[in-house]
Coordinates of all heavy atoms in Angstrom, one line a residue:
A144 N -8.7 8.5 -5.0 CA -8.3 9.8 -5.4 C -9.3 10.9 -4.8 O -8.8 12.1 -4.7 CB -8.4 9.9 -7.0
L145 N -10.5 10.5 -4.5 CA -11.4 11.5 -3.9 C -11.3 11.6 -2.4 O -11.8 12.6 -1.8 CB -12.8 11.1 -4.3 CG -13.2 11.1 -5.8 CD1 -14.6 10.6 -6.0 CD2 -13.1 12.5 -6.4
L146 N -10.6 10.7 -1.8 CA -10.5 10.6 -0.3 C -10.0 11.9 0.3 O -10.6 12.4 1.3 CB -9.7 9.4 0.2 CG -10.5 8.1 0.3 CD1 -9.5 7.0 0.9 CD2 -11.7 8.3 1.3
P147 N -8.8 12.5 -0.2 CA -8.3 13.6 0.4 C -9.3 14.8 0.4 O -9.1 15.8 1.2 CB -7.1 14.0 -0.3 CG -6.7 12.7 -0.9 CD -7.9 12.0 -1.2
L148 N -10.3 14.8 -0.5 CA -11.2 15.9 -0.6 C -12.3 15.9 0.5 O -12.8 16.9 0.8 CB -11.9 15.9 -2.0 CG -11.0 15.9 -3.2 CD1 -11.8 15.8 -4.5 CD2 -10.2 17.2 -3.2
V149 N -12.5 14.7 1.0 CA -13.5 14.5 2.1 C -12.9 14.1 3.4 O -13.5 14.3 4.5 CB -14.5 13.5 1.7 CG1 -15.3 13.9 0.5 CG2 -13.9 12.1 1.4
L150 N -11.6 13.6 3.4 CA -10.9 13.2 4.7 C -10.1 14.3 5.2 O -9.0 14.6 4.7 CB -10.1 12.0 4.4 CG -9.7 11.2 5.6 CD1 -10.8 10.6 6.3 CD2 -8.7 10.0 5.1
K151 N -10.5 14.9 6.3 CA -9.8 16.1 6.8 C -8.9 15.7 8.0 O -8.1 16.5 8.4 CB -10.8 17.1 7.3 CG -11.8 17.6 6.2 CD -11.0 18.2 5.0 CE -11.9 18.7 3.9 NZ -11.2 19.2 2.7
D152 N -9.0 14.5 8.5 CA -8.2 14.1 9.6 C -6.7 13.7 9.1 O -6.6 12.8 8.4 CB -8.8 12.8 10.3 CG -8.1 12.5 11.6 OD1 -7.0 13.0 11.9 OD2 -8.7 11.8 12.5
P153 N -5.7 14.5 9.6 CA -4.4 14.2 9.1 C -3.8 12.9 9.5 O -3.0 12.3 8.9 CB -3.5 15.4 9.6 CG -4.3 15.9 10.8 CD -5.8 15.7 10.4
Y154 N -4.3 12.4 10.7 CA -3.9 11.1 11.2 C -4.3 10.0 10.3 O -3.5 9.1 9.9 CB -4.4 10.9 12.6 CG -4.2 9.5 13.1 CD1 -2.9 9.1 13.5 CD2 -5.3 8.5 13.2 CE1 -2.7 7.8 14.0 CE2 -5.1 7.3 13.8 CZ -3.7 6.9 14.1 OH -3.6 5.6 14.6
L155 N -5.6 10.0 9.8 CA -6.1 9.0 8.9 C -5.4 9.1 7.6 O -5.1 8.1 7.0 CB -7.6 9.1 8.7 CG -8.4 8.9 10.0 CD1 -9.9 9.1 9.7 CD2 -8.2 7.5 10.5
L156 N -5.1 10.3 7.1 CA -4.4 10.5 5.8 C -3.0 9.9 5.9 O -2.5 9.3 4.9 CB -4.4 12.0 5.5 CG -4.2 12.3 4.0 CD1 -5.1 11.5 3.0 CD2 -4.2 13.8 3.7
N157 N -2.3 10.2 7.0 CA -1.0 9.6 7.3 C -1.1 8.0 7.2 O -0.1 7.5 6.6 CB -0.4 10.1 8.6 CG 0.9 9.5 8.9 OD1 1.9 9.8 8.4 ND2 0.9 8.5 9.9
A158 N -2.1 7.5 7.8 CA -2.2 6.0 7.8 C -2.4 5.5 6.4 O -1.9 4.5 6.0 CB -3.4 5.6 8.7
L159 N -3.2 6.2 5.6 CA -3.4 5.8 4.2 C -2.1 5.9 3.4 O -1.8 5.1 2.6 CB -4.5 6.7 3.6 CG -5.9 6.4 4.0 CD1 -6.9 7.4 3.4 CD2 -6.3 5.0 3.5
I160 N -1.3 6.9 3.6 CA 0.0 7.0 3.0 C 0.9 5.9 3.3 O 1.5 5.3 2.4 CB 0.6 8.4 3.2 CG1 -0.2 9.6 2.7 CG2 2.0 8.5 2.7 CD1 0.2 11.0 3.2
T161 N 1.0 5.6 4.6 CA 1.9 4.5 5.0 C 1.4 3.2 4.4 O 2.2 2.4 4.0 CB 1.9 4.5 6.6 OG1 2.3 5.8 7.0 CG2 2.9 3.4 7.1
G162 N 0.1 2.9 4.6 CA -0.4 1.7 4.0 C -0.3 1.6 2.5 O 0.0 0.5 2.0
G163 N -0.4 2.7 1.9 CA -0.2 2.7 0.4 C 1.2 2.5 0.0 O 1.5 1.7 -1.0
I164 N 2.1 3.0 0.7 CA 3.6 2.7 0.4 C 3.9 1.2 0.5 O 4.5 0.6 -0.3 CB 4.5 3.5 1.4 CG1 4.4 5.0 1.1 CG2 5.9 3.1 1.3 CD1 5.1 5.9 2.1
F165 N 3.3 0.6 1.5 CA 3.6 -0.9 1.7 C 2.8 -1.7 0.7 O 3.1 -2.8 0.4 CB 3.4 -1.3 3.1 CG 4.5 -0.9 4.1 CD1 4.4 0.1 4.9 CD2 5.7 -1.7 4.0 CE1 5.4 0.5 5.7 CE2 6.7 -1.3 4.9 CZ 6.6 -0.2 5.7
T166 N 1.6 -1.1 0.2 CA 0.9 -1.8 -0.8 C 1.7 -1.8 -2.1 O 1.7 -2.8 -2.8 CB -0.5 -1.1 -1.0 OG1 -1.2 -1.1 0.2 CG2 -1.3 -1.7 -2.2
I167 N 2.4 -0.7 -2.4 CA 3.3 -0.7 -3.5 C 4.4 -1.9 -3.4 O 4.7 -2.6 -4.4 CB 4.1 0.6 -3.7 CG1 3.0 1.7 -3.9 CG2 5.1 0.5 -4.9 CD1 3.7 3.1 -3.9
G168 N 4.9 -2.0 -2.2 CA 5.8 -3.1 -1.9 C 5.1 -4.5 -2.2 O 5.7 -5.4 -2.7
A169 N 3.9 -4.6 -1.8 CA 3.1 -5.9 -1.9 C 2.9 -6.1 -3.4 O 2.9 -7.3 -3.9 CB 1.8 -5.8 -1.2
I170 N 2.6 -5.1 -4.2 CA 2.5 -5.2 -5.6 C 3.8 -5.8 -6.3 O 3.7 -6.7 -7.1 CB 2.1 -3.9 -6.3 CG1 0.7 -3.5 -5.9 CG2 2.2 -4.0 -7.8 CD1 0.3 -2.1 -6.3
S171 N 4.9 -5.3 -5.8 CA 6.2 -5.8 -6.3 C 6.4 -7.2 -5.9 O 6.9 -8.0 -6.6 CB 7.3 -4.9 -5.8 OG 7.6 -5.1 -4.4
L172 N 6.0 -7.6 -4.6 CA 6.2 -9.0 -4.1 C 5.3 -9.9 -4.9 O 5.7 -11.1 -5.1 CB 6.0 -9.0 -2.7 CG 6.1 -10.4 -2.0 CD1 7.6 -10.9 -2.1 CD2 5.8 -10.3 -0.5
N173 N 4.1 -9.5 -5.3 CA 3.2 -10.3 -6.0 C 3.8 -10.8 -7.3 O 3.4 -11.8 -7.8 CB 1.8 -9.6 -6.2 CG 0.8 -10.5 -6.7 OD1 0.6 -11.6 -6.3 ND2 0.0 -10.0 -7.7
L174 N 4.6 -9.9 -7.9 CA 5.2 -10.3 -9.2 C 6.0 -11.6 -9.1 O 6.0 -12.4 -10.0 CB 6.0 -9.1 -9.7 CG 6.7 -9.3 -11.1 CD1 5.6 -9.5 -12.2 CD2 7.6 -8.2 -11.4
L175 N 6.7 -11.7 -7.9 CA 7.5 -12.9 -7.6 C 6.6 -14.0 -7.1 O 6.6 -15.1 -7.7 CB 8.7 -12.6 -6.7 CG 10.0 -12.1 -7.2 CD1 11.0 -11.9 -6.1 CD2 10.6 -13.0 -8.2
L176 N 6.0 -13.8 -6.0 CA 5.3 -14.8 -5.3 C 4.0 -15.3 -6.1 O 3.8 -16.5 -6.2 CB 4.8 -14.3 -4.0 CG 4.0 -15.3 -3.1 CD1 4.7 -16.5 -2.8 CD2 3.6 -14.6 -1.8
G177 N 3.3 -14.3 -6.7 CA 2.1 -14.7 -7.4 C 2.3 -15.2 -8.8 O 1.5 -16.1 -9.2
Y178 N 3.3 -14.8 -9.6 CA 3.5 -15.2 -10.9 C 4.6 -16.1 -11.2 O 4.7 -16.7 -12.3 CB 3.5 -14.0 -11.8 CG 2.3 -13.2 -11.8 CD1 2.1 -12.1 -11.0 CD2 1.1 -13.6 -12.6 CE1 0.9 -11.3 -10.9 CE2 0.0 -12.9 -12.5 CZ -0.2 -11.8 -11.7 OH -1.3 -11.1 -11.7
T179 N 5.6 -16.3 -10.3 CA 6.7 -17.2 -10.5 C 6.7 -18.3 -9.4 O 7.4 -19.3 -9.5 CB 8.1 -16.5 -10.5 OG1 8.3 -16.0 -9.2 CG2 8.1 -15.3 -11.5
G180 N 5.9 -18.0 -8.3 CA 5.9 -19.0 -7.2 C 7.1 -19.0 -6.3 O 7.2 -19.8 -5.5
Q181 N 7.9 -17.9 -6.5 CA 9.1 -17.8 -5.6 C 8.9 -16.9 -4.4 O 8.6 -15.7 -4.6 CB 10.3 -17.3 -6.4 CG 10.6 -18.2 -7.7 CD 11.1 -19.5 -7.3 OE1 11.8 -19.7 -6.3 NE2 10.6 -20.5 -8.1
L182 N 8.9 -17.4 -3.3 CA 8.7 -16.7 -2.0 C 10.0 -16.0 -1.6 O 11.0 -16.7 -1.3 CB 8.2 -17.6 -0.9 CG 8.0 -16.9 0.5 CD1 7.0 -15.7 0.4 CD2 7.5 -17.9 1.5
S183 N 10.0 -14.7 -1.5 CA 11.1 -13.9 -1.0 C 10.8 -13.3 0.4 O 9.9 -12.5 0.5 CB 11.4 -12.7 -2.0 OG 12.4 -11.9 -1.5
L184 N 11.4 -13.8 1.4 CA 11.2 -13.3 2.7 C 12.2 -12.3 3.1 O 12.3 -11.9 4.3 CB 11.3 -14.5 3.8 CG 10.0 -15.4 3.7 CD1 10.1 -16.5 4.8 CD2 8.7 -14.6 3.9
G185 N 13.0 -11.8 2.1 CA 13.9 -10.7 2.4 C 13.6 -9.5 1.4 O 14.5 -8.7 1.2

């Protein structure tokens, strides 16, 4: 939450946004793979 206050490079901020979006996807996948053991490759 504090990063945008000190990070002025728009390229790095863009990378964090993109990585964060796919981290949300990883959180959703963990619900299946991590807690039910079902691997979804789609």
Side-chain angles (χ1 to χ4, degrees):
L145 296 175
L146 272 182
L148 303 178
V149 297
L150 195 64
K151 302 302 181 183
D152 189 341
Y154 172 73
L155 295 178
L156 197 56
N157 175 73
L159 285 173
I160 295 171
T161 305
I164 290 172
F165 283 101
T166 299
I167 298 171
I170 292 173
S171 71
L172 180 61
N173 188 44
L174 184 63
L175 272 183
L176 178 58
Y178 293 99
T179 68
Q181 302 297 319
L182 175 60
S183 170
L184 288 182

